[in-house]
Amino acid sequence: MKTSHSVAITGFALIAVSYGLARFSWGLMLPAVAQDIPFSPRLAGVLSACSFAAYCLSVSAASLLSDRYGPRLPAMASALSATVGLLMLAIATSPIMLAIGLFIAGLSAGLSSPSLAAVVSQAIHTHRQTQVNTIINAGTGAGIILSVPLLLFLPWRVACAVFAVIALLSLIPVLRYLPQAASERAAKQGGESLLQRRVMRLALIAFISGMASAAWWSFGPDVLRQHAHVADKLISLLWLICGGAGILGALTGPVARAIGMRQVYRLALLFMAAPLLLIAFSHAFSWWLFPGVALCGIGYITLSGVLLVGGADATPAAPASGVGVVFFMLAAGQVAGSMLFGILYAQAGAALALITFSLLAVAMVFYTPAISSGSR
């Protein structure tokens, strides 16, 4: 198997596990978990914050580990933390055990992205790096596609155990195909490059875009249920469509070659904004929700792919560092956005909250990152 193919498949699988199964599946299983292990809505927010906090910590550590010890170590840690965290959720009998499981599982996503960016920079020819990076990043959609039917047809504990087995299996290609040693450029790279203007601009874009995305990823199912009066089974189907459409984010590289990475970035933000506006003005189920959430999935996965490529491109000697900063700010924006959306949702209602957050995404259309789409 060609190096580019093996790295792309390995990375795609690890991202599917770390994001789709270990991170984003919690929102879908939350109602079933709350029936078995009762907890208040406030405690539900604390539990969700455990995953975000773990992500922020691990995404910072991943770049340091990758630059010092090579990308295989944090990638292995990503697969193992997903396995252990999901097993902890499967056997949880109290909110404390849930919190521990979510924290350990949440480490997985933060460890995977920077280490895989380092692998691509180290092992893949420059002209193929954008394509491979965006294919890997689209693994989130595959993980969501896998999680929805399993959570629909299996008890949530059994589904978590199955997720854990899949996570453990993802360790096999990591050990086989990812390089163990760090690149010489990364070992010699200083931290001062992270303060350069391109990285700071990307960090700001990631933070505000993360805020805008929190409206869907943190509150989407609840808003559909409470505001748009959509049935639970349809909500699961909409979540599946969102994840499935996200796989199209793998086309970011080819589309960028045709229209430019900045245009891809603008389209991604508009795709994220459109469904928020649609839901804001919906008070009953509409067939327009299907293409709407599909746009949301495409937009978010494509945007995160653009940020990944931009972070790696801004720090070519140590791509894991640039990606780590950008993805940390994306997660920090999601934490801040979740808090602000929750306050606005409670005080002013879903419609105003959704419109406000859609305008955040639209505003970022006019503040573009500096990315050389042809070089990476």
Side-chain angles (χ1 to χ4, degrees):
M1 188 183 296
K2 288 185 179 179
T3 299
S4 59
H5 294 163
S6 59
V7 168
I9 293 170
T10 301
F12 185 90
L14 185 59
I15 291 296
V17 163
S18 59
Y19 282 85
L21 302 184
R23 190 177 180 203
F24 288 130
S25 66
W26 170 248
L28 274 180
M29 71 174 77
L30 179 58
V33 175
Q35 290 182 357
D36 284 354
I37 308 174
F39 47 80
S40 67
R42 180 176 295 181
L43 187 54
V46 173
L47 291 172
S48 298
C50 289
S51 179
F52 280 118
Y55 181 89
C56 290
L57 288 173
S58 61
V59 80
S60 303
S63 57
L64 297 175
L65 290 171
S66 184
D67 291 346
R68 184 157 194 171
Y69 300 106
R72 186 190 294 176
L73 178 63
M76 289 170 54
S78 173
L80 291 173
S81 62
T83 302
V84 174
L86 288 164
L87 282 176
M88 180 67 74
L89 291 177
I91 64 172
T93 57
S94 67
I96 292 177
M97 291 182 71
L98 288 174
I100 294 171
L102 286 169
F103 185 87
I104 296 172
L107 294 171
S108 177
L111 289 166
S112 61
S113 291
S115 58
L116 291 170
V119 172
V120 172
S121 177
Q122 186 174 335
I124 306 300
H125 193 278
T126 302
H127 78 278
R128 291 183 59 85
Q129 287 179 10
T130 292
Q131 181 180 357
V132 174
N133 269 323
T134 53
I135 288 172
I136 288 172
N137 192 61
T140 300
I144 293 173
I145 288 174
L146 183 61
S147 69
V148 172
L150 288 175
L151 286 168
L152 276 176
F153 297 111
L154 295 175
W156 69 271
R157 293 183 186 276
V158 176
C160 282
V162 174
F163 293 167
V165 172
I166 295 171
L168 188 60
L169 291 175
S170 73
L171 185 62
I172 297 172
V174 166
L175 291 170
R176 182 170 182 179
Y177 295 118
L178 299 193
Q180 182 173 1
S183 68
E184 293 184 6
R185 289 191 305 165
K188 297 176 181 178
Q189 177 71 12
E192 69 277 359
S193 66
L194 297 181
L195 300 177
Q196 62 174 291
R197 192 177 213 176
R198 288 179 66 190
V199 177
M200 293 297 98
R201 188 179 184 92
L202 279 165
L204 178 60
I205 289 170
F207 183 80
I208 299 178
S209 300
M211 288 181 65
S213 73
W216 171 254
W217 292 113
S218 295
F219 292 91
D222 187 68
V223 168
L224 287 170
R225 184 180 298 109
Q226 302 295 334
H227 175 71
H229 308 292
V230 179
D232 286 345
K233 287 188 177 180
L234 280 174
I235 290 172
S236 295
L237 179 58
L238 289 168
W239 197 265
L240 177 63
I241 289 170
C242 177
I247 291 183
L248 294 176
L251 300 176
T252 299
V255 175
R257 286 196 295 272
I259 65 175
M261 191 65 83
R262 289 186 182 183
Q263 296 303 324
V264 171
Y265 161 81
R266 293 187 178 103
L267 284 174
L269 286 166
L270 292 176
F271 284 3
M272 285 172 53
L276 299 183
L277 287 173
L278 176 64
I279 297 171
F281 293 102
S282 298
H283 298 286
F285 172 74
S286 166
W287 291 104
W288 285 106
L289 287 172
F290 286 106
V293 300
L295 286 179
C296 190
I298 296 170
Y300 178 77
I301 301 300
T302 299
L303 178 68
S304 61
V306 171
L307 293 173
L308 188 156
V309 171
D313 190 49
T315 55
S321 298
V323 172
V325 168
V326 172
F327 275 57
F328 175 88
M329 294 303 291
L330 184 67
Q334 288 171 333
V335 173
S338 296
M339 295 172 59
L340 290 174
F341 189 94
I343 294 170
L344 197 56
Y345 187 12
Q347 298 296 324
L352 182 60
L354 289 164
I355 291 169
T356 301
F357 274 65
S358 69
L359 292 177
L360 271 179
V362 171
M364 294 312 294
V365 168
F366 304 99
Y367 190 71
T368 57
I371 301 176
S372 53
S373 56
S375 63
R376 283 186 167 275

